[in-house]
Amino acid sequence: MQTAIWHIRKMGKFILRFRPYTLEIKHVFTVAAFSRNTTPVVLIELEYDGVVGYGEASMPPYLGESQESVISFLNKIDLSTYSSPFQTEDILQYIDDIQEQHTAAKACIDIALHDLLGKLLGQPYHKVWGLNPALIPPTSFTIGMDTEEIVRQKVSEAQQFKILKVKLGLETDKMMIKTIRSMTDVPLCADVNQGWKNKEQALEMAQWLAEQNVVFLEQPMPKEQIDDMAWLTERSPIPTIADEGCQRYSDIIGLKDVYSGINIKLMKCTGMREAKKMAELAGALDLKVMLGCMTETSCAISAAAQLAPLVDWADLDGALLINNDIYKGMYVHEGRCVLTDLPGIGIIKK
C-alpha cells in the first residue's frame, strides 16, 4: 500500500491537496521506443466551500513530465484572487499562462475544477455540455508488443471488446497482427508510435493492414516527417491519425492535409476544456477525432469519457491496464463505455 502523504495549500476560498502515486501495470507495456511496468501520477483534490473535485496528472516518461515537475508546478498556483470556481475560463487561462508546457500538470487542475463545478451544479459533466452518452463509440483495448504466447493471452482477456488497438513499429509487426487474427476477426486499429521511418514501406504496410481489417493508422511515422506523412495520408487506404504529432488546439490547423484525423488526450492538451474545443474544431475541418488516454486511474479516464460522445473513436482503456485503481467511475460493459450519473466527472473513491 502506497503511503498517502498529502501536500496542502490554502488559497483564499480554495484548498488544493496533492500527492504522488504510482500505477502498477498488469502486463509489461511495450511500444516502439520503450517498455515499462509502472506509470507515475499525481492525484489532486480541489476544495471549495466544502465540495471536493478530483483530478489526476499521468506522466509516461516520454512526455517529459514527472511527479517532481508536477508538484513544483502545483506549488506555483495561487487561486486566492478568484472568488468562485465558476470563473472557469479565467482560472484555466491563468493556469496555462503560469509556465509553458507542463500539460499534464495543467490537466489535473482542469479535471478537478470540472469535477468540482459538476458537483456544485449537481450534474455529470456530459449533461452540463448537453452530450448524449448513447453516442459514445466502442472503446478499443490495447494489445502491447509481446511474444506470441502473451499476445494470445492478452487477446483472450479482451473478448468483450468490439475493437482492439495493436502496438506496432518493430520487426514483429506482422507477427503481432497474424497472432491476433488467428484468434479474432474484430476490427483493429494500429498504433505505430512513430516507428516507421520510410514512407514507401509505411504505405506497403498500410495496404497490407487494410486487408487485415485495420481501420486506421495512429502516428505511423515520426512527427517531424511532415511531408512524408502527407504523402502517406494521400495514398493510404486507411485513415492516418496524429498522436505525437498533435498536442494542443493550436496544432490542428496545420495538420489538415497531413493526417486524416487527430488523437486528443487530456494529458497532452491541458484537460477537458481544451479537449472539447479541439474536438469541435477538428469536426469543423472534417478531420476524424480519436479520444485517447495514458495509463491512468478512473479519475482521468472518467473525465475524458465525458466528451466521448463527440468523437469517432474512443481508446479509453487506461484504467483497465492497471492493478491499483483507487477510484470507481466510468466502466466498460461489452466493449462500451458506460458513464455514471454521479455529478462532475462521475467518480467516487473506492
Side-chain angles (χ1 to χ4, degrees):
M1 189 67 162
Q2 299 179 47
T3 305
I5 301 175
W6 290 91
H7 302 252
I8 302 175
R9 301 194 61 221
K10 295 183 179 180
M11 303 171 289
K13 296 184 177 181
F14 293 91
I15 301 173
L16 177 62
R17 291 182 286 268
F18 48 94
R19 70 179 176 102
Y21 189 68
T22 300
L23 305 184
E24 301 163 0
I25 304 174
K26 292 178 181 178
H27 294 285
V28 175
F29 194 73
T30 300
V31 299
F34 58 86
S35 297
R36 57 189 170 87
N37 56 16
T38 61
T39 297
V41 303
V42 172
L43 306 176
I44 79 164
E45 297 181 353
L46 182 63
E47 181 175 340
Y48 175 86
D49 199 23
V51 180
V52 176
Y54 298 125
E56 174 182 8
S58 175
M59 291 83 60
Y62 67 90
L63 285 183
E65 293 183 73
S66 64
Q67 290 170 329
E68 293 74 21
S69 71
V70 170
I71 289 171
S72 175
F73 182 89
L74 294 176
N75 277 316
K76 293 181 171 72
I77 295 172
D78 182 4
L79 299 180
S80 60
T81 59
Y82 299 98
S83 60
S84 166
F86 288 96
Q87 295 172 264
T88 313
E89 290 293 320
D90 290 345
I91 291 172
L92 292 178
Q93 189 60 56
Y94 157 71
I95 296 294
D96 200 14
D97 290 342
I98 289 175
Q99 200 171 349
E100 290 187 358
Q101 301 176 333
H102 295 276
T103 55
K106 295 171 182 179
C108 70
I109 293 290
D110 170 285
I111 292 168
L113 183 59
H114 282 87
D115 192 35
L116 175 60
L117 292 171
K119 288 172 176 172
L120 291 170
L121 292 168
Q123 295 293 335
Y125 227 86
H126 66 273
K127 288 188 177 179
V128 175
W129 277 334
L131 301 179
N132 180 1
L135 299 179
I136 298 176
T139 182
S140 56
F141 183 82
T142 302
I143 309 294
M145 297 175 188
D146 222 310
T147 63
E148 291 185 42
E149 179 183 0
I150 299 299
V151 170
R152 289 192 183 96
Q153 179 184 339
K154 292 177 180 179
V155 173
S156 67
E157 293 171 358
Q159 290 183 11
Q160 69 158 307
F161 293 90
K162 313 304 181 188
I163 182 169
L164 298 177
K165 176 174 175 175
V166 188
K167 292 289 189 177
L168 301 180
L170 297 177
E171 66 279 356
T172 55
D173 286 354
K174 289 195 174 182
M175 177 277 288
M176 289 286 300
I177 298 296
K178 289 177 180 178
T179 301
I180 295 169
R181 278 287 168 254
S182 71
M183 299 185 66
T184 180
D185 60 358
V186 299
L188 305 177
C189 45
D191 185 3
V192 189
N193 290 115
Q194 309 184 84
W196 299 340
K197 315 302 181 187
N198 179 281
K199 64 182 183 181
E200 286 83 8
Q201 291 177 351
L203 178 58
E204 184 179 326
M205 277 298 294
Q207 292 166 339
W208 183 79
L209 290 170
E211 297 171 357
Q212 309 302 315
N213 195 21
V214 172
V215 295
F216 67 80
L217 277 176
E218 186 180 349
Q219 202 62 55
M221 303 188 71
K223 63 181 181 180
E224 298 82 7
Q225 294 180 218
I226 295 173
D227 291 343
D228 289 344
M229 267 308 317
W231 181 94
L232 176 63
T233 297
E234 183 180 2
R235 294 162 177 78
S236 175
I238 51 180
T240 61
I241 305 298
D243 181 9
E244 289 88 344
C246 180
Q247 183 169 1
R248 301 200 57 178
Y249 181 89
S250 58
D251 297 329
I252 296 175
I253 294 291
L255 301 177
K256 175 76 170 75
D257 297 315
V258 181
Y259 298 88
S260 312
I262 63 170
N263 184 358
I264 300 171
K265 295 178 180 175
L266 301 192
M267 297 303 138
K268 292 193 303 179
C269 74
T270 74
M272 297 168 67
R273 166 182 173 259
E274 186 154 326
K276 183 171 182 285
K277 292 179 179 179
M278 290 176 72
E280 291 168 345
L281 176 59
L285 294 173
D286 201 28
L287 288 166
K288 294 289 187 181
V289 179
M290 174 185 179
L291 182 62
C293 63
M294 310 299 178
T295 41
E296 301 164 352
T297 72
S298 288
C299 176
I301 296 295
S302 297
Q306 301 301 313
L307 57 103
L310 292 173
V311 308
D312 299 288
W313 296 295
D315 180 35
L316 297 176
D317 64 344
L320 302 176
L321 304 176
I322 64 173
N323 285 315
N324 57 338
D325 195 352
I326 62 171
Y327 302 102
K328 183 178 180 181
M330 183 279 284
Y331 62 96
V332 177
H333 177 68
E334 294 183 352
R336 292 193 170 271
C337 300
V338 181
L339 302 182
T340 72
D341 279 329
L342 295 170
I345 61 174
I347 65 170
I348 57 172
K349 283 185 174 179
K350 286 185 176 179

